[in-house]
Amino acid sequence: MNKKLIAGIVIAAAVVCCGGGYVAMQNEKKVKQENVQISEMLDKLPDITVKEGESLPDLKNNIEDTSMIEPDTLKVDIQNVDITVPGTYDVVYSFKDIHGNERSKTVQCKVEANLLDHVYGMDDIETDCGKELPKDETTFDEEYVSSVTRDDSEVDIDTPGTYNITYTVLGTDGSMEEADRLAKVLETAETTQAPWKHLSRQKRLLRKPETWNRSNRKP
């Protein structure tokens, strides 16, 4: 065989081998880059927080780039989540990537307690004019609630009317919620017929009838 022909064949083979090796190397580099993208996408999946009794949102929307996922393989397993019971649960994303690899990622779903649902006795209150307000007899689930405070500072028990009161509920996790209720100070026959008698001594002194003067004094 002609030496020049043999040399040509050898060179051609070398070019083909080098070209194939380059293509393979480029493909491998591309796959590595895509794997990094997929890993970063999974790392960005956020934890979830919902209120007790609320429905979970569509968690598939948390996937930022679905181009790296084989169509119809994305699943979100929420079977461990009980939205009626406060707590922390696992949510599992799973899918096949564009290279056919099985992928999964577990995130946390926190169901926060609806504090007001765990307090009992936060009712409207009422009292007769001049009488003390009923004692605060609220109770609560200590697993979720650490304290309940009733603010009735706006109520004037010496003046008939309707006033706002506020219950402040502090959760064991440091969260806080408030509930507004009403307090009624009822007018009685006594307050209607003798409007000054129900008042405290200090308020009676401040609210003496305008007709009072020195001539009213007994000798």
Side-chain angles (χ1 to χ4, degrees):
M1 184 180 290
N2 189 304
K3 289 183 178 180
K4 289 184 178 181
L5 178 59
I6 293 173
I9 293 173
V10 171
I11 293 172
V15 169
V16 170
C17 289
C18 290
Y22 175 78
V23 170
M25 188 168 59
Q26 288 299 103
N27 286 337
E28 183 179 353
K29 184 178 180 181
K30 180 182 178 182
V31 169
K32 285 182 177 180
Q33 289 175 338
E34 289 172 343
N35 284 333
V36 169
Q37 285 179 281
I38 294 170
S39 295
E40 290 177 346
M41 177 189 69
L42 290 174
D43 289 340
K44 289 180 181 179
L45 283 174
D47 291 332
I48 307 140
T49 301
V50 294
K51 276 288 188 182
E52 177 184 1
E54 288 183 351
S55 299
L56 290 171
D58 186 352
L59 301 181
K60 289 184 179 181
N61 291 334
N62 290 336
I63 301 288
E64 293 183 355
D65 186 2
T66 56
S67 65
M68 298 291 172
I69 300 173
E70 285 191 6
D72 303 323
T73 65
L74 176 60
K75 296 178 181 179
V76 184
D77 185 357
I78 59 173
Q79 64 180 353
N80 293 325
V81 180
D82 186 349
I83 58 173
T84 65
V85 179
T88 302
Y89 304 89
D90 287 340
V91 171
V92 182
Y93 291 82
S94 62
F95 58 88
K96 282 186 178 180
D97 65 24
I98 55 177
H99 305 295
N101 300 314
E102 296 283 352
R103 300 272 189 165
S104 67
K105 173 71 173 183
T106 300
V107 300
Q108 300 295 302
C109 176
K110 182 180 181 181
V111 178
E112 293 183 335
N114 186 350
L115 298 181
L116 302 185
D117 288 345
H118 296 278
V119 180
Y120 315 101
M122 290 192 302
D123 303 319
D124 293 339
I125 58 177
E126 63 179 39
T127 187
D128 289 338
C129 192
K131 303 293 185 180
E132 295 295 325
L133 292 173
K135 291 182 179 180
D136 183 3
E137 296 183 347
T138 52
T139 59
F140 51 85
D141 295 329
E142 294 183 357
E143 183 177 358
Y144 310 116
V145 178
S146 61
S147 67
V148 179
T149 304
R150 187 181 79 188
D151 180 6
D152 51 35
S153 58
E154 295 184 7
V155 181
D156 182 355
I157 59 174
D158 290 327
T159 304
T162 300
Y163 303 87
N164 292 321
I165 60 174
T166 301
Y167 291 91
T168 300
V169 182
L170 184 64
T172 53
D173 61 354
S175 59
M176 185 183 73
E177 294 182 21
E178 293 184 340
D180 293 326
R181 297 290 187 269
L182 297 176
K184 292 183 179 180
V185 178
L186 304 175
E187 190 171 30
T188 64
E190 182 182 18
T191 58
T192 302
Q193 296 172 6
W196 307 109
K197 283 188 176 182
H198 69 282
L199 297 177
S200 64
R201 182 175 183 279
Q202 183 179 3
K203 287 191 175 181
R204 285 202 301 270
L205 292 173
L206 293 173
R207 300 174 114 178
K208 286 181 179 180
E210 293 180 1
T211 56
W212 183 92
N213 54 50
R214 291 181 181 273
S215 63
N216 295 125
R217 290 184 177 182
K218 293 182 180 180

